[in-house]
């Protein structure tokens, strides 16, 4: 049991160490909703690889993290901000936004309309096809 905890803590330490570079990349804004002046945390987009991967991490505010944990329970306007982040130049941010839009498109017509206009490159499609937000 201790080995599992040690491994978890080591991984968490490495992932949190990405924060400085993520703050630079995001200009200290939430990479999904662009909130500023709020606490931001490193969010590792699942599934994760054996070793922590900076390119699978996003800098998010607590509100966005909570929304990601409850996508199915979202209200109509909870994810409207994705209209901006779906055009992000950061592949994991863009793929995450499009993944969420795909999750809610049957529920909200505006999400379907955004997806009709989305442009995603091949390497971004590969990332998109791996994303999962299953909460452990």
């Amino acid at each position: 049991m201790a080995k599992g905890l040690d491994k978890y803590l080591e991984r968490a330490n490495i992932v949190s160490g990405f924060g400085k570079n993520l703050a630079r990349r995001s200009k200290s804004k939430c990479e999904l909703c662009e909130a500023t002046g709020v606490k931001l945390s490193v969010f590792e987009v699942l599934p994760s690889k054996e070793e922590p991967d900076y390119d699978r991490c996003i800098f998010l505010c607590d509100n966005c993290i909570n929304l990601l944990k409850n996508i199915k329970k979202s209200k109509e306007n909870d994810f409207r901000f994705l209209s901006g982040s779906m055009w992000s130049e950061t592949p994991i941010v863009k793929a995450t936004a499009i993944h969420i839009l795909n999750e809610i498109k049957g529920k909200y017509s505006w999400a379907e309309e955004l997806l009709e206009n989305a442009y995603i490159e091949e390497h971004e499609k590969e990332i998109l096809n791996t994303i999962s937000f299953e909460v452990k």
Side-chain angles (χ1 to χ4, degrees):
M1 241 231 286
K3 283 184 183 180
L5 178 61
D6 289 344
K7 192 172 182 178
Y8 169 80
L9 292 174
E10 181 181 341
R11 181 181 193 82
N13 189 40
I14 292 169
V15 169
S16 68
F18 294 149
K20 192 173 189 176
N21 288 331
L22 288 169
R24 240 182 253 120
R25 179 178 86 188
S26 69
K27 298 179 177 95
S28 296
K29 293 191 279 189
C30 175
E31 291 189 279
L32 286 180
C33 73
E34 297 189 347
T36 59
V38 296
K39 177 184 168 247
L40 299 171
S41 302
V42 178
F43 182 85
E44 191 173 17
V45 179
L46 298 176
S48 53
K49 297 177 181 176
E50 184 70 29
E51 291 296 316
D53 184 357
Y54 171 80
D55 292 327
R56 297 274 312 177
C57 293
I58 308 175
F59 219 29
L60 298 180
C61 65
D62 288 344
N63 184 57
C64 284
I65 290 172
N66 290 331
L67 287 172
L68 289 178
K69 291 179 179 178
N70 296 295
I71 293 173
K72 300 279 189 225
K73 295 179 182 176
S74 67
K75 295 182 181 120
E76 182 163 7
N77 293 318
D78 284 350
F79 286 109
R80 290 276 187 169
F81 55 79
L82 294 175
S83 62
S85 52
M86 68 180 271
W87 298 105
S88 175
E89 292 181 14
T90 305
I92 191 65
V93 175
K94 183 177 187 175
T96 298
I98 291 173
H99 173 82
I100 297 165
L101 289 169
N102 277 315
E103 290 284 317
I104 63 173
K105 70 182 178 187
K107 207 171 168 183
Y108 309 119
S109 59
W110 61 264
E112 180 71 41
E113 291 169 16
L114 286 176
L115 285 169
E116 288 173 7
N117 294 316
Y119 174 79
I120 188 158
E121 294 184 21
E122 201 57 43
H123 71 282
E124 294 165 335
K125 282 182 189 175
E126 291 172 15
I127 296 168
L128 178 60
N129 290 333
T130 68
I131 293 177
S132 169
F133 289 115
E134 295 174 16
V135 180
K136 296 179 182 178

